[in-house]
Amino acid sequence: MEKTLRLKTAEIEKISHLDYFNIAISVDCVIFCYHEKKLKVLLIKSDLEEFEGLYSLLGDLIRPDEDLETASYRILKDRTGMDDVYLEQVQAFGSINRHPSGRVITIAYYSLIDIKHHKLQLSHHDLHWQPVNEIKKMAFDHKLILETCLARLQQQVMDYPIVFNLLPEKFSLRQLQELYEAILGFELDRRNFRKKISIKDWLVDIEEMENDVPHRPGKLYKLKPEFKKKGLKKKSISGKQQAVS
Amino acid sequence: MEKTLRLKTAEIEKISHLDYFNIAISVDCVIFCYHEKKLKVLLIKSDLEEFEGLYSLLGDLIRPDEDLETASYRILKDRTGMDDVYLEQVQAFGSINRHPSGRVITIAYYSLIDIKHHKLQLSHHDLHWQPVNEIKKMAFDHKLILETCLARLQQQVMDYPIVFNLLPEKFSLRQLQELYEAILGFELDRRNFRKKISIKDWLVDIEEMENDVPHRPGKLYKLKPEFKKKGLKKKSISGKQQAVS
DNA sequence: TCAAAAGTGTTTTGTGTACACCCATGC
DNA sequence: GCATGGGTGTACACAAAACACTTTTGA
């Protein structure tokens, strides 16, 4: 979002007597990808003077005839050319002064895409994949939004089979482990990692090997089709005395 | 919310050319309390014809000069007379047709209060504490909102010292266990429960006993003051290889 | 003395974590 | 034949779960 808005600010002023309807609502998407062994986010150069030189998340005002997910999908589709993307709502952010041009409440989503699939409209705009680690300052409260979304991703990553949305169809266990490390921000023990993943039973051995690697090639795996839903896969409930005891 | 709105709908129509500003934003609060060994929610009889006889959550439109938390606190204060309440945002709900009078996006919060502290404005309105289990149908999408909030509560309850907001200052371990059971919806083993709680080190033994009980009285405890923050207490991060390994 | 709940420990099972060696391949 | 990562198993520590008896109090 944050773009169309500047044009509208004048209009907002005019209707200030409609107290409850001069709050705008946007959706902001934290679009993650995995590239060059780094977790990256798709950002766009802010076109507001106040934030000159800073990047912001991709977002837009919500249209009256679309629901929240639809708006997010629209942004994703517009910006990445991709359909059928993993998307999840995280939180609303609504501080009064979060937007310099007026009151805007935004609802944050994060999504996971395989960078190879997007026909990126990178060229025409100031779009840019930025490594998450290397981001210092952002426009608006987008740094906070990004951190919140990253925390949510980190929290979900071992419980639900979602990171596969960041990988190509076929991948090796090393690739998968490196991805987990990139998301979590620390290193994992290889044997323990493999054990843990194999217990989850998310993968099929497709009886193929890596090639193009300058060392012993690893086996390739796919995510089992039953986990390929783009929506959130609920953790099984499995018995009663699980949460407490 | 959902109340002021009916009056405004006409106005919305008038400004339909301001495409992006005829979406209203509300906050809805799922206010939990613990009473008669049941987890209950504060509801109000819907005043919309469409939902005659049904209950809805407490909510209101967000004012242009207040942020999301402020709006929620206002609702809580108005309805329960209580300040300083545990409150946490859960999610936004924004289906197009969730509100019969127009487009309203709502942001759901849940809060935990000690029923004994509220000077309830119960009398004057159709306010009502309803046991969570016994709720079948609600106005709007409020059943979904309630379920989502309850799920969030269940998920957080063993990790963060929050349920104490539902109890009086002093309580016995049995009371605490019954509360956990009410929230989680299943029974817990007494010895394991006590062990688990004692490991968390959230409580102080205040060297007092229950009285008024028709059996052997239990010891009373308080929550340690350092956990009395009303905001969310973050779980300690403790070492690297925790999430995965 | 009975009813009701308080209080307490041990065993078993599963999970998390640390750690080291041989193997297959490309160069 | 060497460098690089692939692939595997074991031992220890800790947490979860199942489970029963004695104690204290009020009625």
Side-chain angles (χ1 to χ4, degrees):
Chain A
M1 90 116 284
E2 329 293 13
K3 192 175 175 193
T4 337
L5 188 75
R6 190 162 50 170
L7 307 170
K8 297 270 180 178
T9 351
E11 289 177 34
I12 305 180
E13 301 305 322
K14 289 185 208 153
I15 55 163
S16 58
H17 61 289
L18 290 173
D19 271 2
Y20 295 102
F21 296 97
N22 58 4
I23 303 179
I25 312 183
S26 66
V27 164
D28 281 299
C29 295
V30 176
I31 305 175
F32 289 110
C33 82
Y34 178 58
H35 189 222
E36 295 167 336
K37 307 201 177 180
K38 290 175 180 171
L39 187 67
K40 298 185 179 180
V41 190
L42 189 56
L43 301 180
I44 188 167
K45 209 161 241 169
S46 176
D47 53 356
L48 289 186
E49 287 172 25
E50 286 90 341
F51 297 124
E52 195 169 348
L54 295 180
Y55 281 97
S56 70
L57 298 171
L58 296 176
D60 196 6
L61 294 175
I62 293 171
R63 296 180 182 162
D65 60 342
E66 67 185 357
D67 62 24
L68 306 178
E69 290 222 334
T70 309
S72 314
Y73 276 119
R74 175 168 55 79
I75 291 162
L76 281 161
K77 175 81 180 177
D78 286 357
R79 298 303 195 172
T80 68
M82 291 177 67
D83 251 335
D84 187 32
V85 161
Y86 181 82
L87 186 69
E88 178 166 330
Q89 192 196 122
V90 176
Q91 241 199 260
F93 293 81
S95 307
I96 297 176
N97 295 314
R98 57 176 297 282
H99 198 297
S101 322
R103 183 76 198 274
V104 184
I105 292 172
T106 197
I107 295 160
Y109 278 76
Y110 82 81
S111 77
L112 305 176
I113 75 174
D114 175 5
I115 193 171
K116 296 217 175 110
H117 284 169
H118 77 155
K119 311 295 173 205
L120 203 41
Q121 334 297 57
L122 271 183
S123 43
H124 80 100
H125 271 118
D126 297 312
L127 285 172
H128 171 64
W129 285 108
Q130 177 84 351
V132 171
N133 291 331
E134 299 169 15
I135 297 172
K136 286 156 230 126
K137 219 164 168 248
M138 293 181 72
F140 310 99
D141 52 358
H142 286 187
K143 186 81 194 295
L144 173 63
I145 295 178
L146 170 60
E147 283 164 358
T148 308
C149 288
L150 176 60
R152 179 72 66 93
L153 172 62
Q154 288 172 337
Q155 187 191 309
Q156 296 189 325
V157 97
M158 284 311 298
D159 293 336
Y160 308 100
I162 56 177
V163 297
F164 306 96
N165 292 293
L166 294 165
L167 288 175
E169 176 97 358
K170 307 173 180 182
F171 51 86
S172 68
L173 290 176
R174 177 178 39 81
Q175 281 178 284
L176 184 62
Q177 180 176 342
E178 285 167 349
L179 170 54
Y180 270 96
E181 291 173 340
I183 292 173
L184 294 169
F186 50 83
E187 298 195 342
L188 301 171
D189 178 88
R190 193 164 80 253
R191 282 161 295 186
N192 293 337
F193 176 76
R194 284 164 186 246
K195 198 186 310 170
K196 205 153 182 171
I197 292 294
S198 97
I199 286 167
K200 306 224 179 269
D201 203 30
W202 288 339
L203 304 183
V204 214
D205 179 345
I206 57 169
E207 315 274 332
E208 288 181 49
M209 299 300 237
E210 287 180 303
N211 44 17
D212 311 337
V213 286
H215 54 75
R216 173 176 173 180
K219 288 185 177 181
L220 294 178
Y221 297 82
K222 274 190 198 175
L223 181 64
K224 288 190 174 175
E226 59 262 42
F227 299 115
K228 277 190 185 160
K229 320 287 151 68
K230 297 296 179 179
L232 185 62
K233 191 86 189 171
K234 294 291 173 201
K235 213 172 173 180
S236 74
I237 308 170
S238 83
K240 297 199 300 180
Q241 304 238 2
Q242 194 185 30
V244 200
S245 151
Chain B
M1 89 114 282
E2 328 295 9
K3 195 177 173 189
T4 335
L5 187 76
R6 190 163 49 170
L7 307 169
K8 297 269 181 179
T9 350
E11 289 178 34
I12 305 179
E13 301 306 321
K14 289 186 209 155
I15 55 164
S16 58
H17 61 286
L18 291 173
D19 271 3
Y20 294 102
F21 296 97
N22 59 2
I23 302 180
I25 312 183
S26 67
V27 165
D28 282 299
C29 295
V30 176
I31 306 174
F32 289 111
C33 81
Y34 179 57
H35 188 222
E36 294 168 336
K37 308 201 176 179
K38 289 175 180 171
L39 187 68
K40 297 186 179 180
V41 190
L42 189 57
L43 301 179
I44 187 167
K45 210 161 241 169
S46 175
D47 53 356
L48 289 186
E49 287 172 24
E50 286 90 340
F51 297 124
E52 196 170 348
L54 295 179
Y55 282 96
S56 70
L57 298 171
L58 297 176
D60 196 7
L61 293 175
I62 293 171
R63 298 180 181 162
D65 60 342
E66 67 185 357
D67 63 24
L68 306 178
E69 288 224 335
T70 310
S72 313
Y73 276 120
R74 174 168 57 77
I75 291 162
L76 281 161
K77 176 81 179 176
D78 286 356
R79 297 304 196 170
T80 67
M82 290 177 67
D83 251 336
D84 187 31
V85 161
Y86 180 82
L87 186 68
E88 179 167 330
Q89 192 195 123
V90 176
Q91 241 200 261
F93 293 82
S95 306
I96 298 175
N97 295 314
R98 57 176 299 281
H99 197 299
S101 322
R103 184 75 198 275
V104 184
I105 291 172
T106 198
I107 295 160
Y109 279 77
Y110 82 82
S111 76
L112 305 176
I113 74 175
D114 175 5
I115 193 172
K116 296 221 174 106
H117 285 169
H118 78 155
K119 310 297 173 202
L120 201 43
Q121 332 299 54
L122 272 185
S123 43
H124 80 98
H125 272 116
D126 296 312
L127 285 172
H128 170 64
W129 286 108
Q130 178 84 350
V132 171
N133 291 331
E134 298 168 16
I135 297 171
K136 285 154 234 130
K137 220 164 168 249
M138 292 180 71
F140 311 99
D141 52 357
H142 286 187
K143 187 82 194 293
L144 173 63
I145 295 178
L146 170 60
E147 282 163 358
T148 308
C149 289
L150 176 60
R152 178 73 64 94
L153 173 62
Q154 289 172 336
Q155 187 191 308
Q156 297 189 324
V157 97
M158 283 312 299
D159 293 336
Y160 309 101
I162 56 177
V163 297
F164 306 95
N165 293 292
L166 294 164
L167 287 175
E169 177 97 359
K170 305 171 181 184
F171 51 86
S172 69
L173 290 177
R174 177 177 40 81
Q175 281 178 284
L176 184 63
Q177 181 177 340
E178 284 167 350
L179 170 54
Y180 270 97
E181 291 173 341
I183 292 172
L184 294 170
F186 51 82
E187 297 195 342
L188 302 171
D189 178 88
R190 194 164 78 253
R191 283 161 295 185
N192 293 337
F193 176 76
R194 283 163 187 244
K195 200 185 308 170
K196 204 153 182 171
I197 291 295
S198 96
I199 287 167
K200 305 220 180 273
D201 203 30
W202 289 339
L203 304 184
V204 213
D205 178 346
I206 56 168
E207 314 275 332
E208 288 180 50
M209 299 300 237
E210 288 180 301
N211 45 18
D212 311 338
V213 285
H215 54 75
R216 173 176 174 180
K219 287 186 177 182
L220 294 179
Y221 297 82
K222 273 191 198 175
L223 181 64
K224 287 190 174 175
E226 59 261 42
F227 299 116
K228 278 191 185 159
K229 318 287 150 67
K230 297 296 178 179
L232 185 61
K233 191 85 189 172
K234 293 291 171 201
K235 213 172 171 179
S236 74
I237 308 168
S238 84
K240 297 199 299 182
Q241 303 238 3
Q242 195 185 31
V244 200
S245 154

